[in-house]
Each structure stands twice: as C-alpha cells, then as structure tokens.
Amino acid sequence: GTMLKRNIIPVFYMQHFIFRYIPFYAAVKILTVSINAGLELFLFTYSFKYIMDSIAEHKRFFEILPAFVIAALITLVVIYLKKWTENQYLPVCREKLAQKMKTHLLQKAVATGLVCYDNPHFYDSFMNAHKNADTAALDAFHTYVELLGQLVSISGFFALLFSLDIFGLVCAAAGFTLGSIIDIIYNKLTVTCETALQPLYRKRDYTGRIFFLPDFAKELRVSRIGIPLIHHFEAAVKDIIALNRRYGKKLIFLRLIHFACTVFLTDIVYLAVLVYRIAVLKTLSIGNFTALYLCMDK
C-alpha cells in the first residue's frame, strides 16, 4: 500500500502542472480526443444507419450528400487539430513545461537543507525528478486522456444500444462484464502459474549451470555426482511440463469461456437474433440492423 501511494500519488500530483503551465494544450488534447471518439461512433454506426435507411426509403443521392459533407469537414478539422497539437504545438509545450517544472524543482532544492544532500536516496530522487518529471507528467496525462476517449466511445456505443435495442444493450453489458471478470481470473491464474514455475526454473537452470562452471569441472569428472545431477535436472523439467499442462488446461478453459461470453454472445447469437427480427418478424429496419450489428461488432 505504501509503495502504491508513492508511485500513484506523485503521478496525480504532477497533472496540475499540465493544467497550470500548458492549459491550452490540455484543453485542445481533451477536446480532440473526445470529439474523435464521438466521430468514431457516428462514422461507424449512425452514418451506415442513415445510408441504409435512405436507400430503403429511395432517397436521392443529393439528399444524403450534405450529412457526409458536414461529417467530412468535422473530421478534417479534428485531424488537423490532432496533427497540429502533436507535431507543432506539443514540442513547444513540452519545452515550456520542462522549463517551468525544473525551475519549480530548483527553487525547492534551494529551500532544502544541506543535510539532505548527504542522503544518496534524496540526491538520486532529486536528479531523476529534475531529469524526467516533465516527461512523466505528459506521459501520464496522455494516458488519462486516451482512457477518457475510450470511456466516451464506450458510453456512446452503450447509449446507441439503449436508444435502439435494450436486448442488445443487455447482451453487450453481459459480455463486457463477464469478459472483464474472466480476464481478471485469467491474469491472476497466469501470475500464480508464473510464481509456481519460478523455483522450478531456478532448480533447472542451477543444475544445468553446474556442468559449465569451472569450479565444478574437476569434481564432476572424478566422481559420479553428475548422474544424480542429471536426474535432478530431468525431474525439474518434468515438473515444469506437468505444471504448464495443469495450468494450461485451466487457462484454455477460461479462454473458451471468454470467447463464449464475448464473441459468441455478441457476434453470433446477437446477429442471429437481428436476422430473425429483420427477416421473419419484420420489426427492424435495415438501417437499425446495420447500426446495431456494427455497434456490437465494435
């Protein structure tokens, strides 16, 4: 818990430097990522829904065109802002942030007692912070913004499902929830397996390394110690294989369950339901069918 606080709290604390020293860059970055996530929802779902419904309603091409011109213009603006912030504005902001943060650290250093410089840990921490603080702050900020974009995208897709098809929302929510739970179990089991394998790997590697160390060359040749060592090596390899097989079966089973909860439920089962509703029940338009399937497939 203490180590977690030491690692996470400074990262959150450093974010206020971003909004303090380069606020315009922070605002543009958040705005472009959020709009881009919204555009992704529009371009991959609503646009296809609009096209298919327009075709079904026998609309003329020039009636459909304005919506795509507007979407294209917004997309070009977002792409330009994204490229401008990344390639032209970010380098300037990076230097400004570095100068401001390092000046802040130097002022703190001047106010620090001389006794601290006798502490190697303080000196190393200070030098590392002075060298990497701005980079760490920007990297963390970009990570948080990308997570925000993903949250906007996921929220948009769930909102679309809620507005068009509650059953699809239930399938997506169930698949997402169950898939996430299985991922957690899978990752924990993988860590458990790796932890159990480590002593066996050390046992195997140590036994094999003895045959190549000069210190043991003479003893191996004047005694029969090599035979039990080889048996020891082979036993370690057998244990490693057995452990991999035992955990491998569980990991494969979890992958299959994950597939059933996500791909099979959301792609195969839900597609069959949509086809039945559009072809047999006649309760679904071709546009809604397209949007729902693309949304679920996303």
Side-chain angles (χ1 to χ4, degrees), residues 11 17 24 59 76 80 119 183 202 230 244 287:
V11 173
F17 289 109
F24 184 71
K59 287 186 178 180
L76 287 174
Y80 174 78
N119 185 339
D183 278 336
R202 286 195 297 270
I230 291 173
N244 275 313

PDB file of all heavy atoms in Angstrom, residues 11 17 24 59 76 80 119 183 202 230 244 287:
ATOM      1  N   VAL A  11       2.153  10.922  -9.473  1.00  0.00           N
ATOM      2  CA  VAL A  11       1.686  11.000 -10.859  1.00  0.00           C
ATOM      3  C   VAL A  11       0.437  11.869 -10.942  1.00  0.00           C
ATOM      4  O   VAL A  11       0.311  12.720 -11.826  1.00  0.00           O
ATOM      5  CB  VAL A  11       1.407   9.581 -11.418  1.00  0.00           C
ATOM      6  CG1 VAL A  11       0.769   9.672 -12.794  1.00  0.00           C
ATOM      7  CG2 VAL A  11       2.689   8.771 -11.488  1.00  0.00           C
ATOM      8  N   PHE A  17       0.478  20.458 -12.917  1.00  0.00           N
ATOM      9  CA  PHE A  17       1.441  21.259 -13.667  1.00  0.00           C
ATOM     10  C   PHE A  17       1.009  21.396 -15.133  1.00  0.00           C
ATOM     11  O   PHE A  17       1.245  22.436 -15.757  1.00  0.00           O
ATOM     12  CB  PHE A  17       2.838  20.626 -13.612  1.00  0.00           C
ATOM     13  CG  PHE A  17       3.499  20.729 -12.274  1.00  0.00           C
ATOM     14  CD1 PHE A  17       3.670  19.609 -11.479  1.00  0.00           C
ATOM     15  CD2 PHE A  17       3.956  21.952 -11.802  1.00  0.00           C
ATOM     16  CE1 PHE A  17       4.281  19.697 -10.241  1.00  0.00           C
ATOM     17  CE2 PHE A  17       4.566  22.057 -10.564  1.00  0.00           C
ATOM     18  CZ  PHE A  17       4.732  20.927  -9.782  1.00  0.00           C
ATOM     19  N   PHE A  24      -3.873  25.468 -22.484  1.00  0.00           N
ATOM     20  CA  PHE A  24      -4.495  25.429 -23.803  1.00  0.00           C
ATOM     21  C   PHE A  24      -4.223  24.093 -24.495  1.00  0.00           C
ATOM     22  O   PHE A  24      -5.119  23.516 -25.123  1.00  0.00           O
ATOM     23  CB  PHE A  24      -3.972  26.580 -24.679  1.00  0.00           C
ATOM     24  CG  PHE A  24      -4.646  26.663 -26.022  1.00  0.00           C
ATOM     25  CD1 PHE A  24      -5.963  27.083 -26.120  1.00  0.00           C
ATOM     26  CD2 PHE A  24      -3.958  26.318 -27.171  1.00  0.00           C
ATOM     27  CE1 PHE A  24      -6.594  27.149 -27.363  1.00  0.00           C
ATOM     28  CE2 PHE A  24      -4.572  26.370 -28.415  1.00  0.00           C
ATOM     29  CZ  PHE A  24      -5.900  26.800 -28.515  1.00  0.00           C
ATOM     30  N   LYS A  59     -34.293   7.559 -51.165  1.00  0.00           N
ATOM     31  CA  LYS A  59     -33.874   8.957 -51.215  1.00  0.00           C
ATOM     32  C   LYS A  59     -32.851   9.149 -52.317  1.00  0.00           C
ATOM     33  O   LYS A  59     -32.089   8.247 -52.652  1.00  0.00           O
ATOM     34  CB  LYS A  59     -33.271   9.388 -49.874  1.00  0.00           C
ATOM     35  CG  LYS A  59     -34.290   9.574 -48.764  1.00  0.00           C
ATOM     36  CD  LYS A  59     -33.627  10.147 -47.528  1.00  0.00           C
ATOM     37  CE  LYS A  59     -34.648  10.398 -46.419  1.00  0.00           C
ATOM     38  NZ  LYS A  59     -34.002  10.958 -45.199  1.00  0.00           N
ATOM     39  N   LEU A  76     -11.998  16.451 -40.858  1.00  0.00           N
ATOM     40  CA  LEU A  76     -10.776  17.135 -41.290  1.00  0.00           C
ATOM     41  C   LEU A  76     -10.289  18.124 -40.236  1.00  0.00           C
ATOM     42  O   LEU A  76      -9.081  18.235 -39.987  1.00  0.00           O
ATOM     43  CB  LEU A  76     -11.033  17.860 -42.615  1.00  0.00           C
ATOM     44  CG  LEU A  76     -11.160  16.967 -43.858  1.00  0.00           C
ATOM     45  CD1 LEU A  76     -11.562  17.792 -45.074  1.00  0.00           C
ATOM     46  CD2 LEU A  76      -9.835  16.242 -44.124  1.00  0.00           C
ATOM     47  N   TYR A  80      -6.789  17.815 -38.333  1.00  0.00           N
ATOM     48  CA  TYR A  80      -5.827  18.924 -38.372  1.00  0.00           C
ATOM     49  C   TYR A  80      -5.410  19.336 -36.958  1.00  0.00           C
ATOM     50  O   TYR A  80      -4.221  19.529 -36.676  1.00  0.00           O
ATOM     51  CB  TYR A  80      -6.420  20.119 -39.104  1.00  0.00           C
ATOM     52  CG  TYR A  80      -5.529  21.340 -39.047  1.00  0.00           C
ATOM     53  CD1 TYR A  80      -4.401  21.447 -39.868  1.00  0.00           C
ATOM     54  CD2 TYR A  80      -5.796  22.370 -38.143  1.00  0.00           C
ATOM     55  CE1 TYR A  80      -3.568  22.548 -39.796  1.00  0.00           C
ATOM     56  CE2 TYR A  80      -4.966  23.483 -38.067  1.00  0.00           C
ATOM     57  CZ  TYR A  80      -3.856  23.570 -38.895  1.00  0.00           C
ATOM     58  OH  TYR A  80      -3.030  24.657 -38.818  1.00  0.00           O
ATOM     59  N   ASN A 119      22.223  12.481   1.821  1.00  0.00           N
ATOM     60  CA  ASN A 119      21.401  11.275   1.688  1.00  0.00           C
ATOM     61  C   ASN A 119      21.390  10.840   0.217  1.00  0.00           C
ATOM     62  O   ASN A 119      20.834  11.542  -0.628  1.00  0.00           O
ATOM     63  CB  ASN A 119      19.975  11.570   2.161  1.00  0.00           C
ATOM     64  CG  ASN A 119      19.101  10.325   2.171  1.00  0.00           C
ATOM     65  OD1 ASN A 119      19.393   9.347   1.484  1.00  0.00           O
ATOM     66  ND2 ASN A 119      18.019  10.378   2.929  1.00  0.00           N
ATOM     67  N   ASP A 183     -11.212 -12.096 -17.560  1.00  0.00           N
ATOM     68  CA  ASP A 183      -9.863 -11.565 -17.776  1.00  0.00           C
ATOM     69  C   ASP A 183      -9.104 -11.431 -16.458  1.00  0.00           C
ATOM     70  O   ASP A 183      -7.911 -11.732 -16.377  1.00  0.00           O
ATOM     71  CB  ASP A 183      -9.932 -10.200 -18.473  1.00  0.00           C
ATOM     72  CG  ASP A 183     -10.100 -10.335 -19.976  1.00  0.00           C
ATOM     73  OD1 ASP A 183      -9.718 -11.394 -20.521  1.00  0.00           O
ATOM     74  OD2 ASP A 183     -10.603  -9.389 -20.598  1.00  0.00           O
ATOM     75  N   ARG A 202      14.548 -22.030 -11.507  1.00  0.00           N
ATOM     76  CA  ARG A 202      15.840 -21.852 -10.823  1.00  0.00           C
ATOM     77  C   ARG A 202      16.516 -23.204 -10.594  1.00  0.00           C
ATOM     78  O   ARG A 202      17.739 -23.337 -10.772  1.00  0.00           O
ATOM     79  CB  ARG A 202      15.630 -21.119  -9.493  1.00  0.00           C
ATOM     80  CG  ARG A 202      15.330 -19.636  -9.649  1.00  0.00           C
ATOM     81  CD  ARG A 202      15.502 -18.904  -8.327  1.00  0.00           C
ATOM     82  NE  ARG A 202      14.557 -19.375  -7.325  1.00  0.00           N
ATOM     83  CZ  ARG A 202      13.345 -18.851  -7.148  1.00  0.00           C
ATOM     84  NH1 ARG A 202      12.943 -17.854  -7.920  1.00  0.00           N
ATOM     85  NH2 ARG A 202      12.552 -19.312  -6.209  1.00  0.00           N
ATOM     86  N   ILE A 230      22.006 -34.939 -13.244  1.00  0.00           N
ATOM     87  CA  ILE A 230      21.218 -35.062 -14.475  1.00  0.00           C
ATOM     88  C   ILE A 230      19.789 -35.469 -14.142  1.00  0.00           C
ATOM     89  O   ILE A 230      18.820 -34.941 -14.708  1.00  0.00           O
ATOM     90  CB  ILE A 230      21.880 -36.075 -15.434  1.00  0.00           C
ATOM     91  CG1 ILE A 230      23.198 -35.494 -15.978  1.00  0.00           C
ATOM     92  CG2 ILE A 230      20.934 -36.419 -16.578  1.00  0.00           C
ATOM     93  CD1 ILE A 230      23.998 -36.475 -16.805  1.00  0.00           C
ATOM     94  N   ASN A 244       2.852 -26.700 -16.336  1.00  0.00           N
ATOM     95  CA  ASN A 244       2.314 -25.997 -17.510  1.00  0.00           C
ATOM     96  C   ASN A 244       1.063 -26.672 -18.043  1.00  0.00           C
ATOM     97  O   ASN A 244       0.100 -26.008 -18.436  1.00  0.00           O
ATOM     98  CB  ASN A 244       3.377 -25.928 -18.613  1.00  0.00           C
ATOM     99  CG  ASN A 244       4.314 -24.744 -18.437  1.00  0.00           C
ATOM    100  OD1 ASN A 244       3.870 -23.630 -18.192  1.00  0.00           O
ATOM    101  ND2 ASN A 244       5.612 -24.974 -18.556  1.00  0.00           N
ATOM    102  N   GLY A 287     -31.522  -0.121 -41.683  1.00  0.00           N
ATOM    103  CA  GLY A 287     -30.580   0.831 -41.096  1.00  0.00           C
ATOM    104  C   GLY A 287     -30.260   0.505 -39.650  1.00  0.00           C
ATOM    105  O   GLY A 287     -29.103   0.519 -39.233  1.00  0.00           O
TER     106      GLY A 287
END
